[in-house]
């Protein structure tokens, strides 16, 4: 019997393996990982500094521990070089240079997403840090520890960028956030709420340089001279890019699997090739690309049932996202990309509530800023229609 094969050892891959083992304890499962396959929760990386978490404390288990715990075969430091859809086989390249073939009965692509990199000039551009893995976090943390001035430039005022800004400022760093947009979280917040959110971070000392971007980064001794397109120049110790992620599509495209913004899958998470599925940050589910924790959990539970013999469509209820910015407590339920909404804002003493209402008067999303507004999360969530109804199964 050929095994179920999972490519990827991130949150999506490990969550699927765990959910599947709850339903099926005997079917062979192989997990293939390009890195060391340490199990950890990537969302914890953007606020790990304030908790003084050493990288070794973030990992929940190495490949040997996870293999024993889940009763699966894990192949770390192994690259999938080719997917043969017709013969249900994979070509693998191992760390020692050996090349082998792996058969599969069902294949799951949990290959994640990689950071988007801006085309920046200068001899310091190659020194820009990203934190998209535990190894990235280790490198970033080690570099920070060597600098005494603690001046950090953050590229990107999106969700992850703002979380890092809060975390870095709370640990004594001088933080400047640069973004081409006129406001932080430009894709998630209406203008008035974004302004209040920005003020909350500015209150603790985070600085914003908006409506501009980085043109050039040059090394200046131990420092970096950063030239912005608005003509300003900054001297910093380290640059961290958090401008977003792009799903890893190369393996799927080489296998003639349909892709768009992500790897296209239906509500059952199956790709255009039979017996091949995709979950996690790489998966575009029935037109929705949602790189957040709750959608991954929903995907893993549904696919685990399907793989164990009960065909199950993924259910997307309303899934608010809690942004880890204690200086400006924020919860966001993003509105569907294809729905036109009007924002209705209510002011509180310590924050705001913004409701996204469609032309039929239905609540399609919301933003809660501040502790008082945050208390309405559960009540509002129940009013928002499911993004993918359970009835689609």
């Amino acid at each position: 019997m050929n095994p179920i094969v999972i490519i990827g050892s991130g949150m999506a891959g490990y969550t699927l393996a765990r959910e599947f083992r709850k339903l099926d304890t005997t079917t062979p499962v192989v997990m293939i990982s390009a890195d060391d396959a340490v199990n950890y929760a990537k969302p914890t990386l953007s606020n790990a500094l304030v908790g003084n978490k050493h990288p070794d404390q973030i990992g929940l288990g190495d490949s040997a521990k996870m293999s024993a715990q889940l009763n699966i075969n894990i192949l770390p430091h192994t690259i999938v070089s080719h997917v043969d859809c017709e013969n249900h086989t994979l070509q693998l390249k191992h760390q020692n240079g050996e090349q082998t073939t792996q058969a599969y009965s069902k294949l799951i692509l949990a290959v994640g997403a990689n950071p988007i990199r801006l085309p920046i000039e200068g001899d310091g551009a190659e020194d820009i840090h990203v934190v998209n893995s535990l190894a990235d976090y280790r490198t970033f943390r080690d570099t920070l520890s060597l600098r005494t001035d603690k001046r950090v430039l953050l590229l990107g005022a999106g969700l992850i960028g703002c979380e890092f800004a809060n975390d870095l400022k709370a640990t004594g760093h001088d933080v400047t956030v640069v973004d081409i947009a006129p406001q932080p979280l430009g894709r998630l917040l209406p203008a008035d709420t974004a302004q209040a959110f920005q003020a909350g971070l500015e209150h603790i000392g985070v600085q914003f340089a908006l409506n501009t971007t980085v043109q050039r980064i040059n090394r200046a001794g131990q420092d970096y001279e950063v030239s912005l397109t608005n003509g300003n120049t900054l001297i910093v110790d380290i640059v961290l890019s958090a401008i977003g992620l792009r799903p890893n599509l190369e393996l799927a495209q080489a296998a003639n699997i349909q892709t768009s913004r992500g790897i296209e899958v239906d509500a059952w998470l199956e790709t255009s090739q039979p017996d091949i599925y995709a979950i996690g940050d790489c998966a575009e589910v029935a037109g929705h690309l949602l790189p957040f924790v709750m959608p991954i959990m929903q995907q893993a539970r549904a696919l685990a049932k399907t793989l164990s013999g009960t065909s199950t469509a993924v259910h997307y209820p309303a899934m608010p996202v809690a942004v880890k910015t204690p200086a400006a407590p924020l919860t966001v339920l993003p509105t569907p990309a294809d729905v036109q909404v009007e924002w209705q804002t209510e002011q509180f003493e310590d924050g705001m509530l913004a409701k996204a209402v469609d032309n039929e008067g239905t609540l399609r999303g919301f933003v809660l800023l501040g502790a008082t507004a945050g208390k309405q999360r559960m009540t509002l969530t129940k009013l928002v229609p499911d993004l993918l109804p359970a009835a689609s199964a």
Side-chain angles (χ1 to χ4, degrees):
M1 179 182 180
N2 289 332
I4 293 171
V5 176
I6 302 170
I7 304 177
S9 60
M11 177 181 289
Y14 270 124
T15 303
L16 174 61
R18 187 175 295 108
E19 292 296 324
F20 180 69
R21 277 293 179 244
K22 292 177 183 178
L23 305 172
D24 183 324
T25 60
T26 59
T27 296
V29 175
V30 174
M31 177 179 285
I32 301 171
S33 177
D35 58 23
D36 56 13
V38 169
N39 181 26
Y40 65 96
K42 189 167 72 172
T44 64
L45 300 179
S46 60
N47 69 337
L49 291 171
V50 75
N52 195 29
K53 292 182 180 179
H54 189 274
D56 293 339
Q57 297 174 302
I58 295 174
L60 304 174
D62 61 15
S63 60
K65 178 180 178 180
M66 298 310 302
S67 179
Q69 185 181 106
L70 296 172
N71 185 28
I72 64 177
N73 182 20
I74 300 177
L75 305 178
H77 303 295
T78 301
I79 302 295
V80 179
S81 58
H82 178 67
V83 178
D84 185 336
C85 303
E86 183 176 352
N87 294 307
H88 282 47
T89 59
L90 308 174
Q91 295 300 314
L92 308 182
K93 291 182 180 179
H94 302 272
Q95 189 176 28
N96 61 4
E98 182 184 7
Q99 299 189 32
T100 61
T101 299
Q102 172 68 59
Y104 66 86
S105 59
K106 306 286 184 181
L107 177 65
I108 295 87
L109 304 177
V111 294
N114 275 333
I116 298 170
R117 291 184 177 271
L118 294 175
I120 295 174
E121 302 172 359
D123 61 9
E126 63 187 51
D127 298 339
I128 296 174
H129 289 259
V130 295
V131 178
N132 192 47
S133 69
L134 188 55
D136 291 339
Y137 172 73
R138 186 186 300 273
T139 301
F140 178 63
R141 188 177 187 271
D142 289 347
T143 304
L144 276 178
S145 68
L146 299 175
R147 304 311 305 259
T148 56
D149 291 332
K150 297 177 179 278
R151 298 164 299 182
V152 181
L153 180 71
L154 255 166
L155 299 179
L159 190 150
I160 300 301
C162 288
E163 289 185 347
F164 268 113
N166 197 136
D167 196 43
L168 285 160
K169 191 60 192 177
T171 49
H173 295 85
D174 180 7
V175 181
T176 301
V177 182
V178 176
D179 200 297
I180 194 67
Q183 66 177 57
L185 278 69
R187 297 181 181 179
L188 297 175
L189 308 184
D192 52 354
T193 312
Q195 185 177 12
F197 173 74
Q198 178 179 335
L201 291 179
E202 288 175 335
H203 183 72
I204 64 169
V206 175
Q207 301 177 67
F208 286 88
L210 302 173
N211 288 303
T212 189
T213 190
V214 173
Q215 182 176 42
R216 177 183 295 272
I217 299 177
N218 285 327
R219 297 186 183 118
Q222 295 295 312
D223 302 328
Y224 294 92
E225 182 181 81
V226 181
S227 302
L228 305 182
T229 55
N230 65 5
N232 291 338
T233 299
L234 303 170
I235 303 297
V236 301
D237 295 276
I238 190 169
V239 181
L240 174 63
S241 179
I243 61 172
L245 299 174
R246 182 177 289 118
N248 291 319
L249 306 179
E250 292 81 4
L251 189 64
Q253 290 171 339
N256 292 318
I257 294 171
Q258 189 68 39
T259 64
S260 182
R261 293 178 301 153
I263 300 173
E264 292 187 357
V265 297
D266 58 20
W268 289 264
L269 303 171
E270 191 165 14
T271 70
S272 59
Q273 293 283 7
D275 298 324
I276 300 181
Y277 303 80
I279 63 170
D281 290 354
C282 67
E284 184 177 343
V285 185
H288 301 289
L289 189 63
L290 299 176
F292 304 114
V293 173
M294 285 306 299
I296 290 175
M297 298 299 178
Q298 295 293 106
Q299 293 167 18
R301 293 177 188 129
L303 186 52
K305 293 178 182 178
T306 295
L307 295 175
S308 64
T310 303
S311 182
T312 305
V314 66
H315 171 217
Y316 278 176
M319 297 176 287
V321 178
V323 185
K324 299 187 291 292
T325 48
L330 184 70
T331 298
V332 179
L333 179 59
T335 59
D338 59 346
V339 176
Q340 293 291 323
V341 298
E342 178 181 336
W343 287 98
Q344 301 174 357
T345 304
E346 184 178 348
Q347 188 78 40
F348 294 94
E349 196 170 311
D350 71 337
M352 304 174 74
L353 161 62
K355 298 179 181 178
V357 180
D358 66 19
N359 55 16
E360 296 181 353
T362 302
L363 183 66
R364 303 306 299 267
F366 58 79
V367 176
L368 299 168
L369 177 64
T372 301
K375 295 176 182 178
Q376 301 189 50
R377 170 175 173 160
M378 292 303 297
T379 300
L380 290 169
T381 301
K382 293 176 182 178
L383 299 176
V384 180
D386 290 351
L387 193 58
L388 286 179
S392 64

